[in-house]
Each structure stands twice: as C-alpha cells, then as structure tokens.
Amino acid sequence: MRISRLALSAMIASACVSGTAFGQNNRTAPRYAPANYYSYYDDEQAAASPSDVAAPASSSTTSTQPSVGCDLGQACDGNGCDSLTGCGSSGLFGMGMIGTGRALDDPWKLFKEPVAGYTIGGWTELGYHAYANPFSFNTFPRNVQLQQQWLYAEKVADGSNGFGLGGRIDHVYGTDAPDTQAFGLTVPNWDNRWDNGSQYGNALPQLYGEVAVGDLSVKLGKFWTIEGNEVVAATGNFFYSRQFTFYNSEPFTHTGVLTTYNLDDDTQLFNGYVMGWDSGFRDNGDAYTGGIKRVINDNWTAVFTTVLGRFGEANAPIPLERGEDYSITITGKLTDRLTFITQSDYLFTRNDTGAIARNAFGNINYLLYQVNDRIVFGQRFEWFNFGGSGFNNVINDDTYNYTLGINYKAHANLMFRPECRWVWDPERFGFNEDNRSSQAALGGDMIFTF
C-alpha cells in the first residue's frame, strides 16, 4: 500500500481516540468480544468460535462498570431510584425494561437446564434500515423484517479433568440466512438452496464435534472462521450494520479441523486445516488457518489470525483463487468507561492464470463509551481499499463507512441497537443504494435472546 494510505489510516485511528466474497448475494456470535469491557450482548447465548475463547466477555450481562441510578439489586428506597421502573422487576410489562434494576440479572431462558448435556438457546432479531447496503448484509430496505431466528445446541468440551467431548449445531432463518449459507462453490452445496422466496432463507452454519484434553481442544466439522472482529450473529456485534471488510475480505465458515491450545493464562494458540472458504463438508481448497491471542495487560488484548492457501476450487481441476488473508485486532480500555478497538485486514489472492484476483485492505476503528449497565454509545470508522479481477478489475478504489449507534439493554433478554450510517463511495462502485456517491441511512434492530 502507498505510504499516504497508511498515513491516512493512522490519522483515522488517532481521530477516533481524541468466494469471491465480494458481491456475493449469499454469504455467528462473536469471534471475540473486547476484553474487560461490557459484552456486546449475552455471550453465553452466542455461537462460539475460537476467537470467542480468545478474548471472552463475561457470561453475565451485568457490567463491571458502576451503574447510574439504583445499584443493581438495590431495593426501592423512596429517594428517586424507582422513579422510572419501581425498581426490581417492575417497569415496562412488569419486566424492569426501563431504567436500572434487577432485570439485567435475571434472564429468561428457553431451557434453564441443559438437555442431555447440551445448552439450548437462541435469539430473535427484528430489523429495519432505510437504504440497502450492497456488498454487505441489510439488503432489504424499508421493511420491518425477521433477520435472524436463531437456534443452537451446544456442549463445550471440558478437558480440565481429563478427556471431554462436546459439539455444536446452529440453525438460522431470516433475511440474513441466505448470506450465511455455504456459497463458496459454484454448484449447490450444503444449505445453499434453502431459500424461502427472494429475501428469506435457512442456513446451518455450524455443525461440529469437539474433543478436549487438558489445555488442548479440537473441533472437527463446519465452524465459524477465526478471522476478523465482526460476525454474522446479531448478538456478536455492537452495531446493527456490518463492515465492508468483514463481508468482502473474510471467510464466514470453514470445514475442517481447528485446535485451540492454552499456552498459559495470557496466551492462546490456534491452528487448523480447512477445505477452503464457505463450503459445507465439501472440498473447496486446502488452506491453513491459525493465530494467536495475547492478553498484554489488564487493559489491552491483541488477536492475530490468518488463512493461507487455496481458498476456492469452484469445481475446477486447478485452484481458481489462492493467496493469504491476515487480520489483527487490538482492544484496549482507555478509561473505566471508554474502550478503543482497532482492526486491520489484508487480503491478497491470485486466480488460476496468475492474475491478481483480490488485493484489499481494511482498517476499522471503534470507540465505545459505556454510560451505565444499560446504555453504551459507539462510533465506527472504516476505510476499505480494494482492487483486482474479483472487484471488477478496479485498482485501489476506496470506500468509507462511518456509523454512530447506541446499545440499549432494556432487559437481560432484550437489546435495542439504533444507528445512523454514512457511506462514501466516490468511485460509485455500488456500495450505496442507487449507486450514489454518498448516503446516510437510519437503521436498527431489536434482539430478544432465550
């Protein structure tokens, strides 16, 4: 990349502190959540992945930050703490859904106890956006829609006492499902034909078994990638909308084997062999995936991941796309309430003729301010630079994405995420509806976990 572009990226980061995946119409819980920070949502309800383990957030929905108003669990005392909710579990619909109160400590669950050793849960996401986001999720504008009806069953393999077995399966229905299917091959594969009309569909993004012995665990099957920061699952992201980098420069799923090893209390190593990108139990290439997570200190955590090799066979006798993909994310607490996250991805691939297929760089910076246990304000700025035959032969085009949003946790089970998103596409590549050079759009969702 040119020095001027790197300088621009550094400036943006500083400002925040003070198969071809591109163009796919078919493309979950956090790969990881910020360390020592208010969890994006209830992590124990989200789809697990190695990067979840890499930097887990607390399974409790109660933040470690001081609350504003009544302390959690405080009884009504007539001093104004109950002015909105009546304290405890009263308030809106009798669930304590306004203000602070015990409602954040008492989530409702579909099954309070494991069934045959498996935790069963999920969530319902209803969303709305004023304009479509081409080359990303949220392509059904001006409609209140069921984006994710998610159900999972999971047993985490526990190797602390020797040999442990586990596994996980995820199913999703909604307008996000067609983008989550196994679209990596040109022929129908796995769940890639499970559509319901022009917008809705089904997907089965994870199905794997897991074995653990001591500090080592091994997944075998179909699982989420460990690349990047944002994810498919609504519960795994701060914002309602997604990065362009996430959608166009990272795999979603792999089929293969992945190991996680706890080297010490602060370091985890990931290594695996996968059959390319975004296919379901069918060979789509041969690639290595791996990475390292390091807790630097009480406030800072770094995660580096990579995929190297053949990404897409597309039923050809020779690989149609091969190359390398790198991602690094650094998360830090600037103050007790202010969290900074910076992510950079680099993707470089060639096709079977040796020509550059994709040459893309993304830099994304987040600044998240926690007001109290229920409210967090956030901003995200993304610079996405791309080129190559997989991007219609453009050379070093740039797109910019700035998003302002709020997470309001009305109840332990209920989250609202309104946002306003601005996208600048000066070359008019198509990142905005009607191919506009710039566009601002309101959007948001409601997520109910169970």
Side-chain angles (χ1 to χ4, degrees), residues 28-29 44-49 110 115-123 149-157 166-173 180 190-191 194 202-210 219-224 233 253 281 450:
T28 209
E44 77 174 335
Q45 313 231 25
S49 79
L110 186 63
V115 178
Y118 281 79
T119 300
I120 298 176
W123 57 87
Q149 183 58 67
W150 204 289
L151 186 66
Y152 70 86
E154 178 186 37
K155 180 181 179 182
V156 177
R168 180 163 180 136
I169 183 172
D170 290 79
H171 174 267
V172 57
Y173 174 80
T180 312
W190 191 240
D191 53 6
W194 296 0
N202 295 269
L204 202 66
Q206 288 201 116
L207 178 60
Y208 65 80
E210 185 178 17
K219 289 181 180 179
L220 179 63
K222 179 175 169 61
F223 43 79
W224 298 115
T253 64
F281 297 95
F450 51 83

Side-chain angles (χ1 to χ4, degrees), residues 122-281:
W123 57 87
T124 301
E125 179 199 14
L126 299 177
Y128 176 88
H129 44 279
Y131 294 102
N133 295 150
F135 309 120
S136 185
F137 282 79
N138 301 345
T139 56
F140 190 35
R142 297 173 289 281
N143 288 277
V144 177
Q145 59 205 269
L146 175 63
Q147 294 199 226
Q148 294 184 6
Q149 183 58 67
W150 204 289
L151 186 66
Y152 70 86
E154 178 186 37
K155 180 181 179 182
V156 177
D158 183 4
S160 59
N161 295 317
F163 183 80
L165 294 175
R168 180 163 180 136
I169 183 172
D170 290 79
H171 174 267
V172 57
Y173 174 80
T175 55
D176 285 356
D179 288 317
T180 312
Q181 296 169 348
F183 55 82
L185 292 167
T186 57
V187 298
N189 171 237
W190 191 240
D191 53 6
N192 201 25
R193 291 182 292 184
W194 296 0
D195 292 330
N196 179 16
S198 61
Q199 298 294 336
Y200 285 80
N202 295 269
L204 202 66
Q206 288 201 116
L207 178 60
Y208 65 80
E210 185 178 17
V211 178
V213 180
D215 293 323
L216 176 68
S217 67
V218 182
K219 289 181 180 179
L220 179 63
K222 179 175 169 61
F223 43 79
W224 298 115
T225 187
I226 60 175
E227 286 286 281
N229 177 28
E230 293 189 353
V231 295
V232 173
T235 55
N237 304 310
F238 181 88
F239 291 101
Y240 166 64
S241 60
R242 312 300 204 288
Q243 311 165 0
F244 291 118
T245 303
F246 156 73
Y247 193 88
N248 300 292
S249 293
E250 297 173 0
F252 282 5
T253 64
H254 300 289
T255 299
V257 59
L258 180 70
T259 68
T260 301
Y261 180 69
N262 298 318
L263 185 63
D264 54 42
D265 291 342
D266 296 325
T267 309
Q268 288 181 308
L269 304 176
F270 311 109
N271 289 281
Y273 161 79
V274 295
M275 295 187 290
W277 286 16
D278 300 312
S279 66
F281 297 95

Side-chain angles (χ1 to χ4, degrees), residues 3 16 62 101 142 158 199 236 246 280 285 329 338 356 373 391 415:
I3 296 299
C16 282
T62 302
R142 297 173 289 281
D158 183 4
Q199 298 294 336
F246 156 73
T329 302
L338 191 63
I356 296 175
D373 290 329
F391 295 105
M415 173 78 83

Side-chain angles (χ1 to χ4, degrees), residues 184-187 283-285 311-320:
L185 292 167
T186 57
V187 298
D283 193 0
N284 190 32
F311 297 161
E313 294 290 339
N315 299 315
I318 54 177
L320 292 181

Side-chain angles (χ1 to χ4, degrees), residues 132-134 241-242 244 380 382 398-403 420-426 430-433 436-441:
N133 295 150
S241 60
R242 312 300 204 288
F244 291 118
R380 172 187 63 193
E382 175 185 17
D398 296 298
T399 294
Y400 306 94
N401 161 28
Y402 179 69
T403 310
C420 186
R421 168 182 166 116
W422 291 265
V423 175
W424 293 271
D425 181 14
F431 283 95
N432 284 317
E433 187 175 313
R436 298 177 184 176
S437 61
S438 64
Q439 194 168 71

Side-chain angles (χ1 to χ4, degrees), residues 344-382:
S344 293
D345 282 22
Y346 177 65
L347 170 67
F348 183 85
T349 66
R350 295 184 182 274
N351 60 25
D352 57 335
T353 67
I356 296 175
R358 286 186 288 173
N359 184 16
F361 176 80
N363 177 258
I364 311 98
N365 295 278
Y366 307 76
L367 202 59
L368 308 174
Y369 180 77
Q370 181 164 357
V371 178
N372 56 36
D373 290 329
R374 293 179 182 268
I375 300 173
V376 183
F377 292 102
Q379 63 174 333
R380 172 187 63 193
F381 187 91
E382 175 185 17

Side-chain angles (χ1 to χ4, degrees), residues 24-42:
Q24 287 287 352
N25 291 323
N26 294 331
R27 241 324 232 168
T28 209
R31 295 179 194 169
Y32 80 96
N36 299 321
Y37 166 67
Y38 171 93
S39 108
Y40 284 153
Y41 202 62
D42 185 357

